[in-house]
Amino acid sequence: MKVSCKNEFHSLVSSLCSLLSEHGTLIKTSRAQELLSRAFGYKSANGLLADLPVNLRVTEKVVSRLGDLLKERHGINSIDTSWLLRALERGHMSYSTHYGCDKDCYPAKLPDHTNYWYLTQDGWVPWSQMNFTKMRVELNIYKVVSAFSVPFFGEDSYFCTGRPIWTADIARAEFESEAERLERKYGEMPENSRMYSEMSDAL
């Protein structure tokens, strides 16, 4: 589960409380925050929040740890924690993650005359400067743009085209809101003088 900001974490905790409530278990929000954070290996909710953005992976260890925590701290052993976490995961899943819409966003190699640009918290970053072991759409990449440019009719003329290949409008609402803020700050697309590699080289 991709958690990019505090609002998404609070949304996840609220969903956990609702799922537990459906099974007759009422837990305060603050306790649910600690429960969820510790299940995923953090010492506290503050520890998880300090690590944002983070991709929380549901594993057998997480399932087991959540079961132990529910039993030890709340006296609950009647809930299937595997079901609980999978339901939480499904509820937090967006169109983008459900359909794997990001699969073309991290090419190992780019075609000739093509560059990819990524909108991040630090602005627009080119493909060559990205670390895709840590950077993912709907986590800390807010938009992906493909830019193609090739000289024609001499060295001073170019055919250029740029288009978004992933946008946050298919992500979760909290993530889309942050993407809109970053677009207002850094622009909906990189500046042309940077976006097209051949034009940049000629300047």
Side-chain angles (χ1 to χ4, degrees):
M1 293 178 285
K2 295 175 180 176
V3 185
S4 65
C5 63
K6 288 182 180 180
N7 285 345
E8 284 189 331
F9 175 68
H10 294 317
S11 175
L12 201 59
V13 170
S14 177
S15 296
L16 176 62
C17 288
S18 295
L19 287 167
L20 289 170
S21 177
E22 289 173 8
H23 285 74
T25 301
L26 298 177
I27 295 180
K28 291 181 179 180
T29 300
S30 58
R31 290 190 175 186
Q33 289 177 355
E34 296 300 319
L35 185 68
L36 186 65
S37 301
R38 288 181 178 272
F40 281 97
Y42 292 91
K43 292 182 179 180
S44 67
N46 285 337
L48 190 154
L49 290 170
D51 201 32
L52 293 178
V54 65
N55 192 6
L56 301 177
R57 301 184 184 280
V58 177
T59 65
E60 290 184 7
K61 190 173 183 178
V62 172
V63 170
S64 176
R65 192 183 289 130
L66 179 61
D68 291 343
L69 289 166
L70 282 170
K71 184 176 181 179
E72 293 169 6
R73 301 190 175 200
H74 302 282
I76 301 165
N77 56 13
S78 59
I79 294 178
D80 182 343
T81 51
S82 178
W83 168 87
L84 180 65
L85 285 167
R86 295 302 177 188
L88 191 65
E89 194 174 43
R90 285 193 301 273
H92 192 66
M93 190 177 289
S94 70
Y95 180 94
S96 178
T97 52
H98 182 77
Y99 290 102
C101 298
D102 62 343
K103 65 182 183 299
D104 296 322
C105 294
Y106 325 114
K109 184 179 179 181
L110 291 176
D112 291 344
H113 308 295
T114 299
N115 196 9
Y116 276 21
W117 287 88
Y118 302 85
L119 181 59
T120 72
Q121 288 287 345
D122 297 321
W124 286 101
V125 180
W127 173 83
S128 61
Q129 296 177 20
M130 293 292 290
N131 178 359
F132 295 116
T133 62
K134 297 181 178 180
M135 303 293 287
R136 282 288 185 265
V137 296
E138 208 171 354
L139 181 65
N140 43 22
I141 296 174
Y142 296 83
K143 192 173 188 178
V144 184
V145 168
S146 172
F148 175 82
S149 62
V150 61
F152 73 107
F153 297 132
E155 296 181 355
D156 296 329
S157 299
Y158 298 85
F159 170 77
C160 301
T161 181
R163 65 180 181 88
I165 62 172
W166 188 90
T167 58
D169 60 349
I170 57 172
R172 296 177 305 277
E174 298 91 346
F175 193 84
E176 183 180 6
S177 176
E178 180 64 6
E180 290 172 353
R181 184 189 73 81
L182 291 170
E183 285 186 329
R184 290 193 298 270
K185 182 176 181 179
Y186 296 111
E188 294 184 7
M189 302 274 274
E191 294 179 1
N192 283 356
S193 59
R194 297 182 64 215
M195 186 160 68
Y196 301 108
S197 57
E198 280 80 3
M199 290 178 65
S200 298
D201 294 340
L203 293 176

